Amino acid sequence: SSRRRHTRYISVTGVQTCALPIYNVSLSILAHEEATPRLVGGIGIHPAEDMDGHELGYWLTPDAWGRGYATEAAGTALTYAFGTLKMPEIVSFTSVINLRSRAVMERLGMRRDPSDDFDHPSVREGHPLRPHVLYRLKASGYGGTAFKR
């Protein structure tokens, strides 16, 4: 039996920006591993609340976890943010216990300073998702699309 194989790649679509100096970049992550591309997540860069700069955020459907989509799409978004929009720095944060998301940030070259960690004000005290870690990446420290896998 012959099974049809498809080349793995993702496309990041739907770039939107606002007027300077406030950027809002929204992207969709499409997986092209099957005959029909399917939406598996989203990624965005937007003004960070309660801090200077812009935040990188992303989400994936659970069946897309562990396949490199978040790292690949985030690398594309960072290349756009630093190369085209000339942003000086991007931050990203997640709960302390979200090890997968933290690994994505580290593969992208983002670095954590424990003094920047915080309790998320929207999560009730005592909840395991309240403690958050903050990662930063300066444009000068980004190696383009050659992120670490």
Side-chain angles (χ1 to χ4, degrees):
S1 80
S2 69
R3 194 171 140 149
R4 193 168 169 193
R5 296 183 66 174
H6 299 277
T7 304
R8 170 192 143 77
Y9 70 97
I10 66 167
S11 59
V12 181
T13 61
V15 175
Q16 298 175 338
T17 61
C18 298
L20 293 173
I22 298 174
Y23 299 105
N24 192 359
V25 180
S26 299
L27 309 164
S28 298
I29 304 170
L30 299 173
H32 294 268
E33 290 186 349
E34 297 146 10
T36 304
R38 65 185 179 94
L39 180 68
V40 296
I43 192 162
I45 296 174
H46 52 86
E49 284 187 39
D50 301 324
M51 64 181 81
D52 290 334
H54 289 80
E55 174 196 352
L56 169 70
Y58 44 87
W59 64 269
L60 290 173
T61 57
D63 66 316
W65 293 355
R67 301 180 79 175
Y69 294 143
T71 304
E72 192 172 341
T76 300
L78 289 173
T79 298
Y80 183 78
F82 292 141
T84 302
L85 300 179
K86 306 297 184 206
M87 292 181 179
E89 180 182 61
I90 299 291
V91 300
S92 193
F93 57 85
T94 190
S95 63
V96 169
I97 62 174
N98 189 344
L99 301 180
R100 286 180 182 259
S101 189
R102 292 176 66 175
V104 168
M105 294 174 205
E106 291 169 8
R107 280 192 295 275
L108 293 166
M110 301 186 94
R111 296 292 171 249
R112 174 182 166 232
D113 179 345
S115 68
D116 288 334
D117 294 351
F118 64 98
D119 286 336
H120 200 290
S122 298
V123 181
R124 70 173 166 76
E125 284 197 39
H127 194 282
L129 295 177
R130 185 172 171 92
H132 272 60
V133 290
L134 177 75
Y135 285 77
R136 296 179 182 274
L137 181 61
K138 294 194 179 303
S140 60
Y142 183 60
T145 57
F147 47 82
K148 301 175 204 161
R149 281 229 183 251

